[in-house]
Amino acid sequence: MIGTPFEEESNKKYTSIWNQTAKDEKGRRRFHGAFTGGFSAGYFNTVGSIEGFTPTEFVSSRSSRAKYTNARPEDFMDGEDLNDQGMTSQSLQTKSEYNLIQTSESNQTNQNQNRQILNSLTPAESSIGFKLLKRIRLKHEFSTDKENSDQSKKIIYGPAKPSNIKQETDNQTKDIYSEENTAVDSLSLFPETNQNSTQPFKFQPKNDFFGIGFDPFNKAPEFLRTSKNSKTSHKMFMGATRSNTRGFGLGALEDDDDDDIYEDTNEYTNVINFDTDFQTKSSNVVEERNVNGMSVQEIQKNSGIGLFSKQINPLTDIKSLPGMEEFVRANDTSIHDKYYPPPDIPKHFIPQHHFEGEEILDHFQKEKPIDLTAKKRAKIFQNQNQNQNQNQNQNQNQNQNQNFTNNSNIHNDNNQYDDPDQYLTYNNKPFISNLDKQNRYEKFLSQKKLYGNNFEMYNIYSESDDMKELEKRKEFEEFVQTSKMFRPMSEAIALKFVSKGVFLTSELEQQKQKQQKGEQKGEQDQSLSKTNAAKYKMFGRLTRSVEAWSPSRLLCKRFNIPEPVVSSFANNIHQKSLKNNNYNKIMSYMQNSNLEKKVPNLVQNQKIDPHLNSDNDSVSLQFENVQKPSINLFRDIFNSGKNEDTNNNEEIEEKTIVIFPEKSKDNLQNNLQNNLQNNLQNNLQNNLQNNLQNNLQNNLQNNLQNNLQNNLRNNLQNNLNQNQNPYLFVRSKKRSTQNQNQNLNQNLYLNQNLNQNQNLNQNQNQNQNQNQNQNLNQNQNQNQNSLEQFMNKLTDSINIHNQNHIQNKNPYLFVRSKKRSTQNLNQNLNQNLYLNQNQIQNLNQNQNQNLYLNQNQNQNQNQYKNQNQIQIQNQYLNQNRFKNVNQNKFKNVNQNINEKNFYNDQNKFKNDQNKNLIEDRYHNHHHNHHHKKNQENYNSKHKYSRKHHIELKSKSKKQEEKRRHN
Amino acid sequence: MSFPSKLVHTLVGHEGSVLCVKFNYNGKYCLSCGQDRSVRLWNPHTGKLIKTYLGHGYEIVDLVVTNDNKNFITCGGDKDAYFWDVTHGKVLRKYRGHDHKINTLAINKESNVFFSGSIDRTVKIWDLRSRSTASIQTLDDFKDSVTSIYVSSSEIICGSVDGYLRTYDIRNGKLVSDFVDESITSISLSNDENCVLVSCLDNKLRMFNKDTGELLNEYSGHSNQNYKLSSCFANNDSFVVSGSEDNLIYIWDLVDAKVVNKLEGHKGFVCGLDYNSDKSCLLSSSIDGTICVWK
């Protein structure tokens, strides 16, 4: 029978394709699903059975341990594999053709092993006779490879031999032993030496990095030959042999669809007995492979040469390769990219950009280091510092500028210093809220630079600005005012210097130039004055500045010096102003006076009368009952020690002496705080309760909130400002932040008190308003005022306390032992006093100036200055130093004052500084005249140590004598 | 009242300019250092070279000797201060911390703390007694390179190129800065430590009263505009000596401020000076690589 018979159609009914189902031979439905379907599994594609899913019983692995079993290939095969493919355990046997020794499976392996052992015992190198035979090119007779019998003599399968071995075999120059030695190592795979009898068994390590079963030369056997290196070829050979063994399936990513995985599934033997059969099989495998439809042997026949028997260079003899006949070897093998030549550079071109106005630097000249003198460097450093400080100083400068309005107004005509750029460089944009206005203002400034004071020439309004003439005029005046107001700080100082007439005009010009360059910091003004002093050899006080400095503990230890606790700078001040001790007086007064009793009285009266609104008479009565604070109180607070009666002074001082040793700083503070807190809080609460009953409830709440916020802010500012006051202390950077935090906390705490006070005041104010509405008489008002004043003083005293407390916290003034605390307090106060004395003088001057100016200026300005005055006075009150307080003005003090205090502090400081500087200068100038006069004689006026002085004198005398002798 | 006028020895051996020469504590020997990265120990009275210390990687600018004459400290372009052992010639420690070349060194009288002033605008204080090589304290008030330091019993006086003479008073915890307006290159104090002699880069020496900062005298005549030359008091404070950029050594009378003598002998400008009052011996080192011993 030829061919396969058709299946009997009669049995089969035609079913349409979509009704056809794939079934295996047992009739089980093979595929499910709409398209390709999945394999059937379980019961209707569930894991369970028809009975349902039954989980396996739990078996404790404790009792029955898992046993290790040798897995066989069959274990990984299912019934289909085993039965359908006809593979049973029995069928897994080495093919007879590969079973060289013709033994049964078990015997074969054993004997193989035995042989291996035997082989390993025999010497690896062949006998000398064998070698001799080999040398005369007689093939040894031990080859059992029948298939290779004839061809293997001529044709060697596999990759090219290593070149050195080839040469040896060809030339026969080297001695036998060396040849053989090399051959043993690497040529075990070559059929030449492929002798089972002598060859020891070798496991072939997997040297390549291919996946198992991957054949790099699967469809490109040409490359097998191109590899020259024996090692790589060896690898490839290995790969090639294995690739044919298959059996491991196709990789998921392999797109080699043509490969039929199951092509030779029956050759599992290859895999299983791979290692043992390898040596014999290898040649066969190569032989059997199909390369482009031709067997290797065919290829060899076609090309007419043994592939590797001759030395063949596949590159040169590429034509000889199959399928390459039509190719011609290129003469020029080098690869050229497209080349674009660079553009031609003109000869005169200098490869360096130079900006206009800049000289072309010579190439060599540029490489030289810039010759920086010390002065140039100092300038650079100054600029650096400027930039750093600029941001910090900006706000301050603005404020200062505002405060110097009055001063700059004096020099109204002196417009030669007006440089509009200065105004803008400081980011002084007073009309930043209105951009159009700001632009006009800048225009105004630029024109001011051009025309100066010729205001008729100005043209800052374009047609687009639709403003009335009156508005324009108003705005213009405003611009004029602001341009004066936002005058840079140092200019004002410079002008002050001019007025004193100390400097020569040339220096003034220098200063002016420097100002125009933008050197306008207060520090630089100091350094300016210092340079001038140095120029005139007025070294000493003018050129000297003293700061606090804390040496490290270890340094002091090494120098055998106790660590300095209090800065000497502070000590000096302490000594200077030891006599003026007002803080003690205040404190003693707080302690001893009836203050504590008075305040409750005040509120008790209010308590009696809950309905403030309804009952006018009771209110009036209430205030009549209040005692007027004694005159002594005011005297103590407002009068300085000089004006006081001696008796009073003594009394108070006695009191202080008693109090202070007992009460430490903390106690004092606690007293104050407790007093104020307890009393005032109670009062406040009571007050509030009373008032809550009234219709004023909402008002109060609003006011309270406002007050709290304002006061907090202002006081914080004030206190921070005080901390920043450089005149008082210089402190280390490390501690300053800590200190500030402390201060802040304290401020918050104290501010509560303050607020309470003020709230109290406000209540009174409200009362006052009501009373006014209901026609209270003047006496009541007076009483009230006095009360207000009293309360204000209270707050002031707290302010002072606050300040002092902050100063106490200053790291350089910090005194650890309680013993010193009083001293320290005194000291702090004294510092205040010392500073305030200067301030008083200075501010008096300011006031005079202000008053003088007031005559010339319009009402608005007057008002502004009045405010200033009030502020200043308020400040004095804060410090308890002002001598002649116009008490009536005190009524006008608003809450705004607190805001302005900030500026005033700045103002005060600067004025103070200026004045001191001027005084110093003046003083020193005279002093220096003396110095010059006396310098020849070395008079003792110069504090030059007497000892030394005498020495010098004697020396000079002796020298004079010598000269006379000569 | 005599001042050195006779050239006794010329010490030749350095291969580059000799930047500093110092007597040891008793004045018997002297150490010199310079551009050739070596420190040399001489006997100035015989003019013989005793030992050469090698180890620095850059030029050595300054050195100080401890009071027991066992160790000395050098500094220079290495940014480190090297602590040497005199007899073995080995570097025992290196004090690291400056960001730039160290200009000057000073040591206190007990030799347990030394100071280094650098181009990085700081003075660092180092402890010689403890094992830590970290500096005790850094003085960073300077606005420019620190060129000279003098340490008295309770004060550190530093001169800087920014033109300030800063006195750190350890006892009182204050920093007194005197503005001189000219770059200071060298500081030396009189024996009673009341007068500060300051070399400035405007061809002048200035003498200040240390306590008040007042100018006592000015010495001029020499030229010093570009380089760090040293100056010192001589002979019980009766004279003032300074090197000059015209290769001479100038000696002024302290009181008259008149040039008393000019010592001629160097072929380059004189940058290092040291005076030993006990032996009334003056050492001068010069750019020309020689050290002259004057008596």
Side-chain angles (χ1 to χ4, degrees), chain A residues 436-536:
Chain A
D436 288 338
K437 203 175 181 182
Q438 178 66 29
N439 288 334
R440 283 199 294 275
Y441 179 62
E442 281 166 14
K443 212 187 262 179
F444 167 82
L445 289 176
S446 61
Q447 291 190 353
K448 194 178 183 184
K449 196 180 187 181
L450 284 172
Y451 305 122
N453 267 3
N454 297 330
F455 292 128
E456 293 142 353
M457 302 283 283
Y458 284 35
N459 183 24
I460 55 172
Y461 297 103
S462 60
E463 291 174 0
S464 60
D465 299 325
D466 44 353
M467 294 169 72
K468 287 175 187 173
E469 270 301 313
L470 193 70
E471 285 175 346
K472 284 183 184 177
R473 202 178 292 164
K474 264 190 176 178
E475 198 183 72
F476 193 82
E477 280 174 7
E478 198 180 359
F479 284 166
V480 173
Q481 286 300 322
T482 46
S483 68
K484 285 168 188 168
M485 217 160 91
F486 284 85
R487 189 183 289 255
M489 169 69 201
S490 64
E491 190 180 329
I493 288 174
L495 291 169
K496 280 203 127 190
F497 280 130
V498 175
S499 64
K500 287 284 177 186
V502 174
F503 288 161
L504 301 173
T505 47
S506 62
E507 283 170 0
L508 262 178
E509 280 167 11
Q510 280 180 355
Q511 275 197 346
K512 178 190 157 192
Q513 283 172 358
K514 281 180 179 173
Q515 281 167 9
Q516 282 171 350
K517 281 172 193 169
E519 300 174 348
Q520 293 152 343
K521 297 285 168 296
E523 287 178 21
Q524 285 177 346
D525 289 319
Q526 281 186 358
S527 72
L528 254 179
S529 66
K530 274 183 181 174
T531 48
N532 283 316
K535 205 177 275 175
Y536 289 102

Side-chain angles (χ1 to χ4, degrees), chain A residues 612-613 616 619 623 696 699 703 760-777 780-781 784-785 788:
Chain A
L612 284 171
N613 267 339
N616 296 330
V619 174
F623 282 102
L696 287 166
N699 283 332
N703 284 324
L760 199 72
N761 284 336
Q762 246 203 349
N763 290 335
Q764 288 170 3
N765 277 331
Q766 283 167 357
N767 291 336
Q768 185 191 353
N769 288 330
Q770 289 157 14
N771 293 333
Q772 278 176 349
N773 288 333
Q774 288 146 8
N775 299 321
L776 269 171
N777 58 28
Q780 283 170 350
N781 271 330
Q784 219 174 4
N785 286 333
E788 273 181 39

Side-chain angles (χ1 to χ4, degrees), chain A residues 171-200:
Chain A
N171 299 334
Q172 303 291 336
T173 49
K174 297 242 170 175
D175 73 357
I176 308 153
Y177 288 99
S178 66
E179 180 205 337
E180 200 53 41
N181 284 338
T182 51
V184 166
D185 283 337
S186 58
L187 298 185
S188 61
L189 282 175
F190 286 101
E192 220 175 31
T193 56
N194 191 5
Q195 340 156 10
N196 278 332
S197 56
T198 55
Q199 190 68 24

Side-chain angles (χ1 to χ4, degrees), chain A residues 374-375 377 381 537 539-540 543-547 549-550 552 558-559 564 568 944-945 948 952 959 963, chain B residues 113 127 136-137 143 153 161 173-179 181 183 192 195 210-211 213 216 218 253 256:
Chain A
K375 297 237 162 185
R377 264 194 291 177
F381 285 133
K537 296 180 183 176
F539 293 103
T543 56
R544 173 163 282 204
S545 60
V546 182
E547 300 166 37
W549 170 69
S550 60
S552 79
R558 292 280 179 266
F559 272 81
S568 63
Y944 190 69
S945 68
H948 199 75
L952 287 171
Q959 279 163 4
R963 264 167 228 148
Chain B
V113 172
D127 189 12
I136 301 174
Q137 196 173 10
K143 288 168 190 153
S153 56
V161 179
K174 65 178 179 180
L175 161 62
V176 180
S177 28
D178 290 310
F179 186 61
D181 198 26
S183 302
D192 59 358
C195 305
K210 196 187 74 181
D211 296 328
L216 297 175
E218 267 189 354
D253 188 88
D256 295 342

Side-chain angles (χ1 to χ4, degrees), chain A residues 330-387:
Chain A
N331 293 322
D332 187 13
T333 52
S334 58
I335 300 159
H336 294 293
D337 284 334
K338 264 197 175 179
Y339 177 68
Y340 301 98
D344 293 327
I345 299 165
K347 280 181 182 176
H348 306 291
F349 178 74
I350 303 162
Q352 186 183 21
H353 183 76
H354 68 94
F355 298 94
E356 283 181 13
E358 192 187 26
E359 288 179 17
I360 301 168
L361 286 171
D362 192 21
H363 185 64
F364 296 102
Q365 198 184 337
K366 204 198 167 190
E367 284 193 349
K368 279 183 189 171
I370 306 158
D371 206 17
L372 271 180
T373 60
K375 297 237 162 185
K376 279 181 191 169
R377 264 194 291 177
K379 259 186 189 174
I380 292 167
F381 285 133
Q382 272 181 358
N383 287 333
Q384 280 178 355
N385 288 332
Q386 248 186 32
N387 292 331

Side-chain angles (χ1 to χ4, degrees), chain A residues 741-935:
Chain A
N741 286 334
Q742 282 181 341
N743 286 340
L744 274 174
N745 292 330
Q746 286 168 357
N747 287 337
L748 283 168
Y749 188 63
L750 287 169
N751 279 329
Q752 287 180 341
N753 293 333
L754 275 173
N755 291 329
Q756 286 163 0
N757 281 335
Q758 288 204 347
N759 288 329
L760 199 72
N761 284 336
Q762 246 203 349
N763 290 335
Q764 288 170 3
N765 277 331
Q766 283 167 357
N767 291 336
Q768 185 191 353
N769 288 330
Q770 289 157 14
N771 293 333
Q772 278 176 349
N773 288 333
Q774 288 146 8
N775 299 321
L776 269 171
N777 58 28
Q778 281 189 347
N779 288 327
Q780 283 170 350
N781 271 330
Q782 276 178 355
N783 282 333
Q784 219 174 4
N785 286 333
S786 63
L787 261 172
E788 273 181 39
Q789 284 174 5
F790 174 72
M791 290 314 296
N792 279 327
K793 278 155 218 160
L794 246 178
T795 55
D796 292 336
S797 64
I798 295 158
N799 269 332
I800 290 161
H801 182 79
N802 196 2
Q803 283 175 3
N804 282 313
H805 190 73
I806 289 155
Q807 285 159 11
N808 280 339
K809 285 289 174 183
N810 189 303
Y812 294 99
L813 295 171
F814 188 72
V815 182
R816 288 173 187 170
S817 64
K818 285 187 178 178
K819 284 181 189 173
R820 292 203 192 176
S821 62
T822 49
Q823 204 187 352
N824 193 28
L825 278 169
N826 293 341
Q827 202 180 316
N828 292 337
L829 237 201
N830 290 334
Q831 283 180 355
N832 281 338
L833 294 173
Y834 175 70
L835 290 170
N836 287 330
Q837 280 179 345
N838 291 331
Q839 287 163 8
I840 288 158
Q841 288 175 348
N842 195 26
L843 285 164
N844 279 334
Q845 275 190 347
N846 271 345
Q847 271 196 332
N848 290 333
Q849 284 177 353
N850 290 340
L851 288 166
Y852 176 73
L853 279 167
N854 280 338
Q855 292 171 357
N856 298 328
Q857 289 176 344
N858 57 30
Q859 282 185 346
N860 288 329
Q861 280 177 335
N862 273 331
Q863 277 180 354
Y864 178 70
K865 269 155 205 166
N866 278 331
Q867 275 190 343
N868 274 341
Q869 281 184 341
I870 291 156
Q871 288 156 22
I872 291 155
Q873 285 157 10
N874 185 33
Q875 222 167 17
Y876 282 122
L877 288 169
N878 280 339
Q879 310 285 345
N880 279 337
R881 281 292 91 203
F882 195 61
K883 290 175 187 172
N884 306 313
V885 179
N886 190 355
Q887 293 198 356
N888 289 329
K889 283 187 179 177
F890 206 79
K891 291 174 192 170
N892 296 329
V893 176
N894 303 328
Q895 288 182 349
N896 292 329
I897 285 163
N898 277 330
E899 290 175 12
K900 307 251 163 120
N901 274 343
F902 179 69
Y903 307 127
N904 264 325
D905 279 345
Q906 298 280 337
N907 188 8
K908 188 177 65 186
F909 169 60
K910 284 292 168 188
N911 282 338
D912 196 19
Q913 215 176 15
N914 292 338
K915 222 194 148 222
N916 280 339
L917 273 173
I918 293 153
E919 279 179 357
D920 284 345
R921 188 174 301 250
Y922 199 68
H923 185 68
N924 264 282
H925 200 63
H926 285 288
H927 190 67
N928 209 47
H929 274 299
H930 281 291
H931 179 78
K932 278 178 182 170
K933 280 178 193 172
N934 298 331
Q935 208 174 14

